[in-house]
Amino acid sequence: MAEPSENKEGDEGAFVIMPFDPRLQYRDEVKKEKGGKTGRLKTRWEKIVEVLSRKIETPEELIQAHVDLLTTTSKNPHDQFFGLQLFFKKHFSKEESQEFFTDLLPKIQQLALSMPDIVPHQIPILHQGVEGQVTLSKHAVAALMAGAFFCLFPPQSYEKEHFPTFSFAGLYGIVWATGGYPDHQAHKLKCHLNYFRRVLKRTPKGNITFVRRVLQEKVDWNASNTPLRGVEVHAEGIIEDADGALHADFANQFLGGGALEGGCVQEEIMFTVQNELCAGMLFCTTMNKKEAILMIGSEQYSEYKGYGGNFEYVGNFRCHKERDEQGRKKNYVVAIDALDFRMQDSSFQFKAIAKKRELNKAYIGFLPTSEEKERAAESGGIAPIATGNWGGGAFRGDRPLKAVLQWLAASEAGRDTLYYSFKQADVTDPFAKLVKTLRQREVTVGQCYRALRAWDNTSAKDLFKYLMDTCK
């Protein structure tokens, strides 16, 4: 098992442990003629170079390469990658498999091996409670993704903080009890292969920035005199349709959620078609209640349709967005994690403490950075937030409540809202009507918040009607 030796003084937990870190070592054991084992210490990278320099021509050889790269032992290591065999057997044609093994895979191997030459040797970890940012070239991100494809990164850890898993292993090992490989999982993998096809055909240009945002000052929601801002409610379309807007990522506390595993809802789909977002999973620890992660410069590589188990890769997608002065695509995504009620009583969300938690979370996500304020001074205004039923699906949040909370947060942050309701009747026309009515009455954020804080879902079930009756 590869383990880092003692960190250099002062750098413990500051930087990502890379696969080529010389401190990662293992003993290359061989059996002695008279029993027992011997062997010399080798670096983890020596082993990686040895395995990825092979010619891999079949699914079985690809699985064996992954097994040989494992840093832990298990009784049936091949089972961890059995989904790969089913993928090539049932979801790839003979011609597609031939193209993959003869052309694409050797290039992914070489890209992974080029990591020490392309990727910065010290990528800072964005820790909880500390504002910071990491900017990487898109070429470096591609090399990191190639490393994740071969599951090369050791688990990152630091004190009590936790990291997402930056590895494709979860895409390879999920097999239903029926013995099949889930269709949506196969299509997720096809999206990633399309990404590699693109970046290996032409070296990607430009940069991507990941920013950890931390709410530093207490917001007095009760006393706010900020006017409620405009909202456009769209029954049709998706968040990514809103060109020029800040796009909300309905995130997991672990950035990316199940993007590199079995998940296939809003965040996971976003990270699957805008593959470069996955790089943040390597160095962003879990978010706390007053944090958000802003991602600037990613682009969409694959066209898709469907959602959840019906997700399907459709084909290539060309992003025509312009670049900023730092070479980043003008694409802005912010990850905000809603309260998760899958394993707790959902009535908690109606308590004042929960409402304030969600307000603060959305607010730090929607709050313009100093960089955006400078752009706004030249362009004439802060971009709207494109959002929707945040936390109102898998996390079992109340959609009307979440819509109002996001509206208050966006207004306080100085943004208009583009709300994509996905045809949900409880937040389409009723929410649009509420917005129109309260804005006509010139209701402030503080007035609406005071009414919302008093509402508990027991005395009045219909939140929108309650606010229209209360906010005069």
Side-chain angles (χ1 to χ4, degrees):
M1 178 177 179
E3 295 181 352
S5 60
E6 185 176 351
N7 284 287
K8 297 177 183 177
E9 185 177 356
D11 75 348
E12 184 177 359
F15 303 102
V16 171
I17 301 172
M18 301 298 289
F20 48 78
D21 190 320
R23 296 172 297 177
L24 294 176
Q25 298 182 343
Y26 76 103
R27 186 169 297 280
D28 188 17
E29 295 181 337
V30 293
K31 291 182 179 180
K32 294 180 180 179
E33 290 183 8
K34 296 182 180 180
K37 294 181 180 180
T38 187
R40 73 176 182 88
L41 279 176
K42 287 185 177 181
T43 65
R44 164 85 168 136
W45 189 246
E46 286 180 273
K47 181 67 172 180
I48 290 170
V49 171
E50 174 192 323
V51 173
L52 295 188
S53 296
R54 298 175 188 165
K55 190 172 184 179
I56 302 173
E57 299 181 293
T58 66
E60 291 76 17
E61 290 177 358
L62 178 58
I63 291 172
Q64 186 59 53
H66 275 94
V67 170
D68 292 343
L69 289 169
L70 287 173
T71 58
T72 57
T73 58
S74 61
K75 187 175 181 180
N76 299 300
H78 291 76
D79 290 352
Q80 299 179 48
F81 307 101
F82 186 60
L84 269 177
Q85 193 167 45
L86 296 178
F87 172 78
F88 287 105
K89 182 179 179 181
K90 299 183 178 181
H91 297 279
F92 242 29
S93 67
K94 184 177 180 180
E95 292 74 22
E96 288 173 320
S97 293
Q98 183 176 9
E99 180 269 338
F100 173 79
F101 285 105
T102 59
D103 182 51
L104 184 58
L105 181 59
K107 292 177 181 176
I108 299 175
Q109 291 172 248
Q110 189 56 46
L111 182 59
L113 291 173
S114 70
M115 258 195 291
D117 301 318
I118 299 173
V119 178
H121 284 219
Q122 290 189 320
I123 298 178
I125 292 172
L126 298 182
H127 286 293
Q128 276 188 6
V130 182
E131 289 200 331
Q133 66 179 51
V134 170
T135 296
L136 297 168
S137 73
K138 291 166 78 72
H139 193 197
V141 168
L144 293 175
M145 290 292 287
F149 179 87
F150 287 107
C151 314
L152 300 184
F153 290 91
Q156 309 293 322
S157 63
Y158 179 70
E159 295 184 351
K160 294 182 179 180
E161 291 187 75
H162 300 283
F163 291 74
T165 300
F166 186 58
S167 167
F168 277 43
L171 290 172
Y172 302 151
I174 297 177
V175 180
W176 285 355
T178 57
Y181 189 67
D183 287 348
H184 76 274
Q185 197 76 359
H187 285 283
K188 286 178 68 175
L189 188 51
K190 285 183 178 183
C191 287
H192 288 299
L193 295 182
N194 181 61
Y195 163 74
F196 284 122
R197 201 172 288 113
R198 286 277 300 280
V199 298
L200 287 165
K201 184 176 182 180
R202 181 177 298 174
T203 301
K205 305 296 183 184
N207 301 308
I208 300 174
T209 299
F210 297 81
V211 185
R212 191 174 203 108
R213 309 209 63 201
V214 181
L215 186 59
Q216 305 285 5
E217 298 179 0
K218 182 179 179 180
V219 181
D220 190 348
W221 296 102
N222 198 58
S224 174
N225 291 316
T226 304
L228 290 171
R229 304 271 308 203
V231 179
E232 290 182 14
V233 181
H234 299 268
E236 305 282 349
I238 57 175
I239 289 170
E240 294 90 327
D241 291 340
D243 194 29
L246 173 63
H247 295 167
D249 162 19
F250 304 160
N252 190 291
Q253 181 184 11
F254 290 82
L255 184 67
L260 296 179
E261 299 176 2
C264 205
V265 289
Q266 194 258 6
E267 179 176 42
E268 288 92 351
I269 291 174
M270 185 179 282
F271 277 56
T272 297
V273 299
Q274 298 183 44
N275 316 71
E276 294 154 332
L277 296 176
C278 293
M281 298 168 69
L282 178 61
F283 48 82
C284 292
T285 63
T286 53
M287 289 181 276
N288 70 25
K289 64 182 180 180
K290 292 186 178 181
E291 294 184 333
I293 295 174
L294 174 65
M295 296 161 279
I296 307 170
S298 64
E299 63 181 287
Q300 184 174 337
Y301 287 89
S302 295
E303 186 72 63
Y304 74 94
K305 65 180 181 180
Y307 192 84
N310 296 317
F311 175 81
E312 186 176 337
Y313 166 72
V314 174
N316 199 35
F317 181 90
R318 292 286 178 183
C319 176
H320 298 292
K321 293 184 178 181
E322 297 179 350
R323 297 182 187 274
D324 64 15
E325 64 281 356
Q326 297 185 47
R328 303 174 304 194
K329 288 281 188 178
K330 292 183 177 181
N331 190 47
Y332 309 94
V333 176
V334 65
I336 50 172
D337 57 304
L339 288 170
D340 186 351
F341 297 104
R342 288 175 295 183
M343 302 295 289
Q344 62 176 312
D345 185 357
S346 61
S347 66
F348 175 71
Q349 66 189 299
F350 304 114
K351 295 185 180 297
I353 189 174
K355 295 170 189 172
K356 185 172 283 190
R357 186 271 184 198
E358 301 295 67
L359 268 175
N360 288 329
K361 171 65 69 168
Y363 177 69
I364 186 56
F366 301 166
L367 189 66
T369 62
S370 56
E371 179 185 322
E372 184 176 4
K373 290 177 181 177
E374 291 176 6
R375 290 198 308 267
E378 300 174 0
S379 63
I382 299 293
I385 175 68
T387 187
N389 306 323
W390 174 52
F395 282 11
R396 297 177 58 220
D398 184 88
R399 284 190 294 267
L401 174 59
K402 286 295 200 294
V404 174
L405 289 168
Q406 289 183 92
W407 182 28
L408 297 185
S411 297
E412 190 68 26
R415 293 188 193 273
D416 289 339
T417 299
L418 304 175
Y419 194 94
Y420 292 85
S421 67
F422 301 97
K423 299 181 181 180
Q424 296 294 331
D426 57 347
V427 284
T428 303
D429 293 339
F431 186 34
K433 182 179 179 181
L434 174 71
V435 170
K436 182 179 180 180
T437 301
L438 298 198
R439 277 174 52 81
Q440 286 176 340
R441 296 175 184 172
E442 299 183 344
V443 173
T444 65
V445 169
Q447 287 175 284
C448 192
Y449 171 72
R450 290 193 294 272
L452 183 65
R453 186 183 58 183
W455 178 76
D456 62 4
N457 194 41
T458 56
S459 57
K461 291 291 185 183
D462 189 333
L463 173 61
F464 294 148
K465 183 179 185 301
Y466 166 82
L467 291 176
M468 281 194 282
D469 290 342
T470 307
C471 298
K472 298 292 187 179

